[in-house]
C-alpha cells in the first residue's frame, strides 16, 4: 500500500488522520516539529493502532530536513497539515504566518517536485470564502480576500499548488476546505490540546466543563440569526480524517486539481452547541454573553454534495457524538497531553 507523508501529523487533525490511514491500510510517516503538538501523541497513536508510526522531527521550511525523508523512503503522496493556525495571533504576527505557512508549503512542494512525488493533499479551510454571499457554500463560491493573515495564507497556498499543477500537469493537487473540526477519537487517547487560551469554541467549552476555565464567553448575541449567535458547520474530526482517506483513495495518481468542501451541511449556532454540550454534561455549562469579536462571519456552512458524489464520503457523526467525544477526551486528559 502507498506510503503517505503527513506533515503536522502529531497535531489535532493530523493525528486522527494518521490513525485512519493505518486503519485503511496506508503506511503513514509523520513529520512534525511539535510547535503545536506534543511528543506524547506518538505513543497514543501507537496504543490505538497497535504499532508505531515512523516519525521524523523537522521543520517544513528546511529543505534538507524534508529531503532526508524523501531520500530514505519512497513517498507516494503528501497530506499537508503543518502550519500556524490561530486567527487572532496571525493578525499580530503576519510575517511569521506567511513565513511558516506559505514559505514552508513552497519548500515542501519544491522537495516533492525534485523527488518526483506528484500527489499533494492540502488542509485548506472555509475561511477562503470570507463572508458568504449565499449559503450553503459550494466549491464554486467566490474566493475572497481573507479577514486574517491566517486565512490569506490558505488562499495563497491553494493558488501556489494550482500554479504548480498547471506547470506540471501530471501532479494531483487536492484542496480540502474544512469547516469547523470538533470532537476527538472515541478512545479518549487523542484529541484537541490547544496551547494557552483556546481560540476555538469546543476546546474552550470542554475546558470549562472540567473546571480549567471558569466560564464560556459567547461573542455577540445580536447577529441576524434565529438566536442571535453565530452559525457554523461543525464536523467531527474523525469524519474529517476519513475525508482525507477518501480523497487519497479517489485522487491518488489522478492528475488535475480536485477541490472539496468537508462539512456536514448543517449550521449550528453557538447557543445550540452550548445546549448540546450541557445535555452531555448533565447540567448547564457556565456561559455569558460578551461583545462581538472582530472578524467573525455571521453564518457559514457547507454544501458537501461534491465530496459525497465523487468521493463517496459523508459525515456520519451527530452533534451529540461530537460533544460526547470531546468531553470524553477532556475528562480523561484534563490538562491535555501534559497529564
Amino acid at each position: 500500500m502507498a506510503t503517505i507523508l503527513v506533515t503536522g501529523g502529531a497535531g489535532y487533525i493530523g493525528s486522527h488522520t494518521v490513525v485512519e490511514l493505518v486503519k485503511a491500510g496506508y503506511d503513514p510517516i509523520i513529520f512534525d516539529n511539535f510547535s503545536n503538538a506534543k511528543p506524547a501523541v506518538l505513543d497514543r497513536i501507537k496504543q490505538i493502532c497497535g504499532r508505531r508510526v515512523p516519525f521524523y522531527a523537522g521543520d517544513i521550511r528546511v529543505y534538507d530536513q524534508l529531503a532526508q525523508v524523501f531520500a530514505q523512503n519512497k513517498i507516494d503522496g503528501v497530506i499537508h497539515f503543518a502550519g500556524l493556525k490561530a486567527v487572532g495571533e496571525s493578525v499580530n504576527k503576519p510575517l511569521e504566518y506567511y513565513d511558516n505557512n506559505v514559505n514552508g508549503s513552497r519548500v515542501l512542494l519544491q522537495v516533492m517536485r525534485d523527488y518526483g512525488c506528484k500527489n499533494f493533499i492540502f488542509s485548506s479551510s472555509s475561511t477562503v470564502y470570507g463572508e458568504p454571499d449565499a449559503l450553503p457554500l459550494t466549491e464554486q463560491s467566490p474566493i475572497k480576500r481573507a479577514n486574517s493573515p491566517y486565512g490569506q495564507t490558505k488562499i495563497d497556498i491553494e493558488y501556489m499548488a494550482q500554479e504548480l499543477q498547471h506547470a506540471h500537469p501530471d501532479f494531483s493537487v487536492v484542496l480540502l476546505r474544512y469547516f469547523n473540526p470538533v470532537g476527538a477519537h472515541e478512545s479518549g487517547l487523542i484529541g484537541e490540546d490547544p496551547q494557552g487560551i483556546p481560540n476555538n469554541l469546543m476546546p474552550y467549552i470542554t475546558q470549562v466543563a472540567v473546571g480549567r476555565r471558569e466560564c464560556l464567553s459567547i461573542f455577540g448575541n445580536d447577529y441576524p440569526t434565529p438566536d442571535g449567535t453565530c452559525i457554523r458547520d461543525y464536523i467531527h474530526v474523525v469524519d474529517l480524517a476519513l475525508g482525507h482517506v477518501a480523497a487519497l483513495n479517489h485522487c491518488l495518481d489522478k492528475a488535475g486539481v480536485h477541490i472539496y468542501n468537508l462539512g456536514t451541511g448543517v449550521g449550528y449556532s453557538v447557543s445550540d452547541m452550548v445546549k448540546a454540550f450541557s445535555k452531555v454534561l448533565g447540567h448547564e455549562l457556565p456561559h455569558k454573553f460578551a461583545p462581538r469579536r472582530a472578524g467573525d462571519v455571521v453564518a457559514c456552512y457547507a454544501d458537501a454534495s461534491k465530496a459525497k458524489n465523487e468521493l463517496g464520503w459523508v459525515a456520519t457523526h451527530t452533534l451529540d457524538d461530537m460533544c460526547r467525544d470531546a468531553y470524553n477526551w477532556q475528562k480523561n486528559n484534563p490538562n491535555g497531553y501534559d497529564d
Side-chain angles (χ1 to χ4, degrees):
M1 190 52 106
T3 299
I4 307 299
L5 180 65
V6 185
T7 70
Y12 173 45
I13 304 169
S15 59
H16 287 82
T17 301
V18 165
V19 167
E20 297 306 325
L21 287 169
V22 171
K23 275 174 68 176
Y26 287 98
D27 288 319
I29 294 174
I30 297 170
F31 185 89
D32 208 303
N33 67 353
F34 297 121
S35 69
N36 196 31
K38 304 280 174 60
V41 175
L42 302 176
D43 289 329
R44 304 290 185 93
I45 290 172
K46 182 186 175 187
Q47 273 182 266
I48 296 168
C49 296
R51 71 171 177 87
R52 186 167 287 285
V53 171
F55 165 74
Y56 285 80
D59 188 314
I60 54 168
R61 294 170 295 181
V62 182
Y63 183 98
D64 290 347
Q65 290 177 1
L66 278 167
Q68 180 192 13
V69 186
F70 283 81
Q72 293 177 359
N73 305 273
K74 185 192 174 296
I75 305 294
D76 298 292
V78 174
I79 301 180
H80 180 35
F81 294 106
L84 301 176
K85 61 175 190 173
V87 173
E89 181 185 64
S90 76
V91 175
N92 297 321
K93 296 182 172 180
L95 297 182
E96 286 83 351
Y97 270 69
Y98 281 100
D99 176 43
N100 191 88
N101 296 7
V102 180
N103 182 44
S105 299
R106 179 193 63 76
V107 174
L108 172 62
L109 288 167
Q110 186 181 340
V111 175
M112 289 179 65
R113 184 195 65 191
D114 293 352
Y115 281 84
C117 177
K118 295 167 182 171
N119 293 290
F120 180 68
I121 296 180
F122 176 53
S123 157
S124 192
S125 165
S126 61
T127 56
V128 303
Y129 298 119
E131 185 75 64
D133 296 326
L135 290 168
L137 287 157
T138 72
E139 290 82 359
Q140 281 72 48
S141 296
I143 302 300
K144 298 180 178 177
R145 174 80 205 170
N147 53 13
S148 71
Y150 161 75
Q152 193 59 40
T153 66
K154 293 292 187 186
I155 295 171
D156 292 351
I157 296 164
E158 281 202 6
Y159 283 146
M160 180 166 54
Q162 290 181 82
E163 297 288 3
L164 176 67
Q165 200 283 329
H166 180 71
H168 299 273
D170 51 349
F171 261 75
S172 170
V173 167
V174 184
L175 308 175
L176 299 180
R177 294 172 180 163
Y178 314 161
F179 281 68
N180 292 66
V182 295
H185 193 266
E186 63 181 4
S187 65
L189 286 168
I190 56 174
E192 190 167 11
D193 184 22
Q195 295 181 345
I197 299 170
N199 288 287
N200 297 329
L201 177 66
M202 185 60 91
Y204 207 106
I205 286 178
T206 60
Q207 289 186 16
V208 170
V210 298
R212 253 175 88 177
R213 305 204 180 272
E214 199 177 320
C215 180
L216 173 72
S217 293
I218 298 175
F219 298 106
N221 62 346
D222 58 350
Y223 284 97
T225 60
D227 61 23
T229 63
C230 289
I231 291 173
R232 296 288 181 271
D233 185 335
Y234 295 94
I235 175 173
H236 196 293
V237 67
V238 172
D239 280 331
L240 188 56
L242 289 167
H244 291 76
V245 175
L248 202 49
N249 292 342
H250 182 72
C251 301
L252 194 67
D253 297 326
K254 191 172 179 181
V257 175
H258 316 280
I259 303 174
Y260 299 100
N261 285 338
L262 295 184
T264 63
V266 180
Y268 294 106
S269 74
V270 178
S271 289
D272 289 336
M273 296 297 284
V274 171
K275 284 177 193 156
F277 202 90
S278 297
K279 193 167 86 176
V280 168
L281 209 49
H283 60 81
E284 189 170 49
L285 184 89
H287 64 280
K288 64 184 180 185
F289 292 104
R292 288 186 184 193
R293 191 169 54 175
D296 280 340
V297 300
V298 177
C300 178
Y301 52 92
D303 176 340
S305 55
K306 186 182 176 192
K308 179 183 179 181
N309 296 335
E310 294 187 14
L311 306 180
W313 174 87
V314 177
T316 59
H317 289 75
T318 65
L319 182 58
D320 287 347
D321 295 335
M322 298 177 208
C323 294
R324 180 199 66 226
D325 291 343
Y327 183 45
N328 182 46
W329 149 255
Q330 199 74 80
K331 201 170 49 176
N332 286 311
N333 305 272
N335 299 307
Y337 291 109
D338 292 333
D339 290 351

